[in-house]
Amino acid sequence: NRDANSIELNISGQVPTLFARIAGIDQFTVPRTATALYESNDVELALQLDVTGSMAGRKLADLKVAVRDLLDIMLPDEGTPNKVRVGLAPFSAGVNAGPYAAAVTNGRATDGCVYERRNLADQTSEAPATGALALKARSDLTGRSIQSCPSNARIVALTDSKSTLWSEVNSYRDGGTTAGHLGTAWAWYLVSPEWSSLWSSASRPAPYRDGKTIKAVVLMTDGSYNTIGGVSSGDTSATARQVSTIAVETCEAMRAQGIRVYAVGFQAPTAALETLRSCASTASSFFDASNGDQLRNVFRAIATELNNLRLSS
């Protein structure tokens, strides 16, 4: 009974008689009925999606198809009996926070672009981005080679609208370098109850460990994290090592809050795979996809696992 979230089992057993056989009764029919009720879990899933320049062409097209597969599984057209919501955290050298940019930069962002916390030592914090913990806007950065955030790939708060999510993903274009730690941070912010005041009521995350909500993030990239403050210093630089450390520490903080972390490398170099492997919740939550078909299979597998967890309570 899908409406009542119950399963009912009816059986009939025959018990042979002893003395009743004198009256011609050889057996009794004994019916038994059992009903089990279950409650399915809600799901909050945030997707960190790499839209940097190295994703140009076939790779970005493959990513879009993989995300579409995941959305079809997580948000079927017939709906779900529980609450399933997905958010998007695309990134390149910065993050396009769209309508949320002013609120997280003390009003300084005018183009939607946001970067690290004002104090880099606070970057792995879950605290809301206000006051001294606010994020930097482009005007806070210095240097000639500062890159902007993706203009057409914005943060999307948790929603159950598959059409909204797909429309956003389908519009993605590539460009910029890899500040993966920013994508990781925003994936966390999307499912963090500490950030509830930033989102609309329909997008506010549930409390941690409420007994009915699975919180998960998917971290996807095709390159080594190498950019801080909108400036890339190269894959083998001290900056790259620093960015990787920040990303891993952010993942550790997420996992400590009970968030499931899935990490997906897509034709990624060794350094990127090492970062992702350190971020994943378990060895089986880390994936190394070498082509588009494998990437689709990975996203389907993640969505299927989350659906199975959703229905297993």
Side-chain angles (χ1 to χ4, degrees):
N1 184 330
R2 293 186 181 276
D3 293 333
N5 280 352
S6 66
I7 298 175
E8 183 177 275
L9 178 66
N10 293 288
I11 62 172
S12 294
Q14 280 73 43
V15 179
T17 62
L18 294 176
F19 300 107
R21 291 181 180 178
I22 299 173
I25 302 174
D26 295 327
Q27 62 184 16
F28 290 114
T29 298
V30 183
R32 288 289 182 267
T33 299
T35 301
L37 297 174
Y38 65 93
E39 294 183 1
S40 54
N41 291 298
D42 295 337
V43 178
E44 296 173 358
L45 173 63
L47 305 179
Q48 169 197 298
L49 301 175
D50 188 331
V51 294
T52 58
S54 58
M55 286 291 295
R58 183 72 256 167
K59 292 174 78 173
L60 187 57
D62 287 337
L63 175 62
K64 292 179 181 181
V65 174
V67 173
R68 183 59 186 261
D69 287 350
L70 178 144
L71 294 177
D72 284 339
I73 294 171
M74 298 297 302
L75 298 168
D77 292 338
E78 61 271 22
T80 59
N82 56 332
K83 185 184 292 185
V84 176
R85 295 177 297 167
V86 179
L88 303 175
F91 74 93
S92 58
V95 167
N96 185 343
Y100 312 109
V104 299
T105 60
N106 291 335
R108 294 182 61 79
T110 58
D111 58 357
C113 286
V114 300
Y115 298 86
E116 290 82 12
R117 300 268 187 174
R118 298 189 68 81
N119 183 348
L120 192 59
D122 297 323
Q123 183 59 36
T124 60
S125 172
E126 183 185 13
T130 59
L133 291 172
L135 307 182
K136 290 183 178 180
R138 183 176 174 84
S139 58
D140 296 316
L141 306 179
T142 58
R144 296 182 178 179
S145 56
I146 296 171
Q147 299 184 60
S148 185
C149 61
S151 60
N152 59 336
R154 303 171 300 173
I155 291 294
V156 176
L158 293 175
T159 178
D160 61 2
S161 172
K162 181 166 64 174
S163 61
T164 296
L165 293 163
W166 172 239
S167 177
E168 286 287 333
V169 172
N170 196 39
S171 70
Y172 287 174
R173 300 293 182 269
D174 62 275
T177 54
T178 313
H181 62 303
L182 297 182
T184 300
W186 276 93
W188 187 10
Y189 302 158
L190 288 171
V191 299
S192 168
E194 297 294 319
W195 282 62
S196 291
S197 62
L198 183 64
W199 317 119
S200 69
S201 57
S203 298
R204 288 172 188 158
Y208 288 127
R209 301 178 181 86
D210 64 354
K212 64 176 183 178
T213 304
I214 297 168
K215 291 179 180 283
V217 300
V218 175
L219 311 179
M220 173 272 157
T221 188
D222 78 326
S224 297
Y225 299 172
N226 59 22
T227 301
I228 287 181
V231 177
S232 172
S233 300
D235 290 354
T236 61
S237 65
T239 294
R241 292 190 293 274
Q242 182 182 20
V243 175
S244 176
T245 298
I246 291 172
V248 171
E249 290 178 353
T250 303
C251 291
E252 291 171 348
M254 278 196 286
R255 298 199 306 263
Q257 294 287 23
I259 298 172
R260 297 173 180 270
V261 180
Y262 298 91
V264 183
F266 182 30
Q267 299 179 17
T270 300
L273 295 177
E274 289 175 352
T275 301
L276 292 171
R277 187 178 284 107
S278 297
C279 269
S281 289
T282 64
S284 61
S285 300
F286 164 74
F287 303 90
D288 179 10
S290 60
N291 57 55
D293 288 339
Q294 289 184 11
L295 187 68
R296 292 184 68 182
N297 289 337
V298 166
F299 273 61
R300 288 175 188 152
I302 292 171
T304 299
E305 179 171 299
L306 288 172
N307 257 355
N308 289 340
L309 292 170
R310 173 176 68 85
L311 297 171
S312 65
S313 64

